[in-house]
Amino acid sequence: MTIQKLLDGLQAAVTTHSTLTLVLIYLMLNLIEISPIKVHPLSWIFRGLRKALVGSLEERMGRIEAKNDLEFAKISRARIQRFSDECYNSVKHSKEHFEQVFDDAKSYEMYCKAHPEFENHKTVEAVEIIKNAYHKCLQERKFL
């Protein structure tokens, strides 16, 4: 019986939650001894267990993080567009509010660069309107 078959058996045992199979595999691996080659069957077992148990958890966490990043990008885009509308309609803002929106725009642009499939054309003009309003407020010293 090869080590790979034993690991496959271990993965099947973890999948089916068969305690008896795990005990038998553990006993068999402890009885195996190859003199010229140092074999560490328990470390292989623990690696297999980690892969079986933690691998799916890491995959789910990755999907959750990707979904959160997408939602953050959508929220940032909405804030940028709303702020742009307010600037276009001559609503006054504080310098700190402008800086916060610029931070949102920077984070949004970084997300768009990392995810080229995400539509970015919706904020290009909005950011320009915000920049123009900011420069006008700087020149006239008319922040809120």
Side-chain angles (χ1 to χ4, degrees):
M1 183 178 261
T2 65
I3 299 295
Q4 185 60 42
K5 287 183 181 178
L6 289 173
L7 289 175
D8 291 341
L10 174 66
Q11 188 172 6
V14 169
T15 305
T16 60
H17 305 289
S18 173
T19 306
L20 179 60
T21 306
L22 283 173
V23 170
L24 289 174
I25 291 173
Y26 175 77
L27 291 173
M28 287 176 62
L29 288 175
N30 280 326
L31 296 175
I32 294 175
E33 184 178 325
I34 302 173
S35 299
I37 302 172
K38 290 186 178 183
V39 178
H40 303 286
L42 289 179
S43 63
W44 289 347
I45 287 175
F46 291 133
R47 266 188 257 141
L49 281 172
R50 183 189 182 283
K51 184 177 180 182
L53 299 174
V54 178
S56 63
L57 180 62
E58 288 174 345
E59 181 181 325
R60 285 188 296 208
M61 289 298 293
R63 286 195 308 261
I64 290 169
E65 288 175 0
K67 185 177 179 181
N68 285 345
D69 290 346
L70 174 63
E71 290 303 315
F72 178 77
K74 288 180 180 179
I75 290 168
S76 294
R77 179 174 59 197
R79 285 196 305 238
I80 292 166
Q81 290 173 332
R82 182 190 43 134
F83 195 85
S84 170
D85 289 343
E86 291 173 0
C87 289
Y88 186 76
N89 291 315
S90 301
V91 175
K92 299 288 183 190
H93 297 96
S94 67
K95 186 174 181 181
E96 291 80 14
H97 201 173
F98 274 100
E99 290 170 358
Q100 178 61 50
V101 172
F102 288 139
D103 288 343
D104 286 342
K106 182 179 178 181
S107 298
Y108 179 78
E109 288 174 12
M110 288 173 48
Y111 179 84
C112 290
K113 285 180 184 177
H115 301 86
E117 72 282 356
F118 187 73
E119 295 181 24
N120 184 23
H121 67 279
K122 296 180 179 183
T123 63
V124 175
E125 293 297 322
V127 171
E128 284 303 313
I129 291 171
I130 294 168
K131 286 179 181 178
N132 291 338
Y134 179 75
H135 291 297
K136 183 178 178 183
C137 288
L138 276 177
Q139 290 173 348
E140 298 173 2
R141 297 182 182 175
K142 290 188 177 180
F143 288 104
L144 182 69

